[in-house]
Amino acid sequence: MRHSDTNILNSSESSSIEAAVSALRDDELVAIPTETVYGLAARASSRTAVNKIFKVKGRPANHPLILHIAKTSDLEKWAQDLSTVARTLVDHYWPGPLTIVVQRNEKVCDEITGGRNTVAIRCPDHKIATELLNRLDDAIVAPSANRFGKVSPTTAEHVAADLGDDVKIILDGGECAIGLESTIIDCTTTPPQLLRVGAITVEQIKTECLITVVSASGESRASGMLDKHYAPECEIELFNNRMQAETRRSELSQLGTTSEILDFGDDLALYARSLYARLRDADKRNIDVVIAVKPPSTGIGSAINERLKKAAR
Ligand code: TXA
Ligand code: MG
């Protein structure tokens, strides 16, 4: 859909946040910045609003949504029977890029969880998101604000390009600080399971909280974790180092194939922050192949490699 630009609001103005809160109260959708990626927000207590998300994103109804809260103490409003593991993780990493899957209570509607008795919850570390949640005095559900199957948006312009006028307001908070989606840990299993890797790694959790998180398997693994998910239009090829990437680039160029190299050296934070924007940009310029140099798998490097692998399939 062509986009008019009129619904992008500068989030540093208090009136913009007020407009967003008012739209959410009217069961409209609002795109908001978070520290990970932009989210497409709906008021969590409104089934009407939540249903709009599935319609606008073209997302299957069995793909559950993450509930976003203003502060750790709001967790009790939506969850029950919290385990020690869940409490420890929350105390350690909230607000921040960690989503926990816990037992839901009766306030969480089936539309949010796809009928599961568990719910994914996160407390974003972002001034605007927090202020919006505090003023709204409700939780929001927010998937990444892209059409289903596209890479997540890390700027307001990405959201506008994907969702156009289907979203009432886009709060512009600039570029997302992290640039990749939150880590998701299922705390309803023993041991807890990693459902998605993000900025927070299992190694870090082991060192900092003495909690062992294992790879996902069985029921939780199956829930909406599609094989190919982060998909740009261009082909993506992965290489271990710059030299291999340069060689491949020459080969492709001789074949008349347009390509470009994605390489950020050891700057993992920059890689994570730039990855989705660079993939979108390559598509915009009709680049045939993006040749990505894989980062080391330390810290957020695991998340980058996992997204690259999925995009390359
Ligand atoms: O960083 C993020 O988490 C971003 C920002 C906007 O907060 N949100 C995000 O949402 O990435 P989304 O909808 O794109 O991804 C939600 C993931 C899906 O993979 C879904 O399967 C999983 O969370 N999920 C949600 N509820 C779940 C549940 N009850 N059990 C297992 N997985 C769940
Ligand atoms: Mg998503």
Side-chain angles (χ1 to χ4, degrees):
M1 182 178 295
R2 271 308 303 153
H3 176 67
S4 49
D5 270 6
T6 48
N7 60 353
I8 299 187
L9 300 184
N10 181 344
S11 66
S12 59
E13 284 161 28
S14 176
S15 60
S16 305
I17 298 184
E18 207 43 57
V21 168
S22 153
L24 287 166
R25 288 211 178 103
D26 289 343
D27 293 345
E28 299 283 359
L29 303 184
V30 170
I32 62 160
T34 80
E35 79 279 33
T36 58
V37 298
Y38 274 74
L40 179 64
R43 195 162 61 87
S45 301
S46 161
R47 284 172 197 264
T48 313
V50 175
N51 278 320
K52 282 186 183 168
I53 288 185
F54 292 94
K55 220 175 123 207
V56 164
K57 277 203 61 150
R59 180 178 172 119
N62 64 359
H63 205 84
L65 301 169
I66 299 177
L67 195 89
H68 294 59
I69 57 178
K71 48 193 182 302
T72 305
S73 55
D74 288 345
L75 183 55
E76 252 75 27
K77 294 185 187 166
W78 305 91
Q80 58 187 358
D81 303 333
L82 289 169
S83 65
T84 313
V85 164
R87 287 201 184 281
T88 307
L89 291 177
V90 159
D91 286 343
H92 218 91
Y93 298 108
W94 280 8
L98 177 80
T99 298
I100 56 166
V101 173
V102 292
Q103 294 299 327
R104 68 156 155 162
N105 70 21
E106 70 292 337
K107 261 182 72 115
V108 181
C109 65
D110 281 342
E111 282 82 353
I112 294 176
T113 67
R116 288 172 190 71
N117 51 18
T118 59
V119 61
I121 305 185
R122 119 173 172 84
C123 178
D125 183 14
H126 196 287
K127 241 177 68 189
I128 293 150
T130 307
E131 191 178 338
L132 177 123
L133 283 165
N134 277 324
R135 288 206 213 170
L136 181 66
D137 195 24
D138 194 348
I140 55 172
V141 283
S144 49
N146 52 288
R147 297 249 183 241
F148 190 66
K150 296 274 176 192
V151 296
S152 296
T154 55
T155 66
E157 290 74 26
H158 295 163
V159 178
D162 271 10
L163 301 179
D165 296 326
D166 282 356
V167 52
K168 181 84 178 173
I169 291 173
I170 302 170
L171 275 182
D172 188 353
E175 184 190 46
C176 297
I178 295 174
L180 297 178
E181 304 83 351
S182 61
T183 300
I184 307 179
I185 310 264
D186 187 346
C187 299
T188 66
T189 59
T190 313
Q193 298 186 358
L194 177 71
L195 302 188
R196 182 173 73 189
V197 64
I200 294 167
T201 64
V202 293
E203 291 78 15
Q204 190 183 348
I205 292 172
K206 176 82 198 172
T207 312
E208 295 170 354
C209 306
L210 305 175
I211 291 170
T212 303
V213 178
V214 300
S215 300
S217 59
E219 184 65 16
S220 48
R221 157 107 214 125
S223 69
M225 305 197 68
L226 299 188
D227 249 351
K228 179 151 182 161
H229 193 148
Y230 308 99
E233 304 287 325
C234 54
E235 289 294 318
I236 298 184
E237 296 184 8
L238 309 181
F239 292 91
N240 288 323
N241 58 54
R242 181 86 200 190
M243 221 161 73
Q244 290 176 351
E246 300 277 9
T247 307
R248 182 59 179 153
R249 183 159 158 72
S250 315
E251 276 172 21
L252 287 171
S253 133
Q254 271 159 24
L255 296 168
T257 305
T258 56
S259 69
E260 72 181 23
I261 294 177
L262 210 58
D263 181 18
F264 297 89
D266 285 336
D267 197 340
L268 295 179
L270 180 65
Y271 206 145
R273 202 161 65 232
S274 316
L275 177 63
Y276 289 155
R278 287 288 296 271
L279 294 179
R280 279 175 182 266
D281 188 55
D283 278 349
K284 225 161 120 182
R285 292 181 296 117
N286 287 314
I287 302 287
D288 298 316
V289 181
V290 168
I291 303 167
V293 178
K294 291 190 278 180
S297 261
T298 51
I300 201 167
S302 322
I304 299 168
N305 279 321
E306 189 264 351
R307 304 309 192 271
L308 283 174
K309 226 168 93 189
K310 280 191 171 166
R313 268 209 287 263

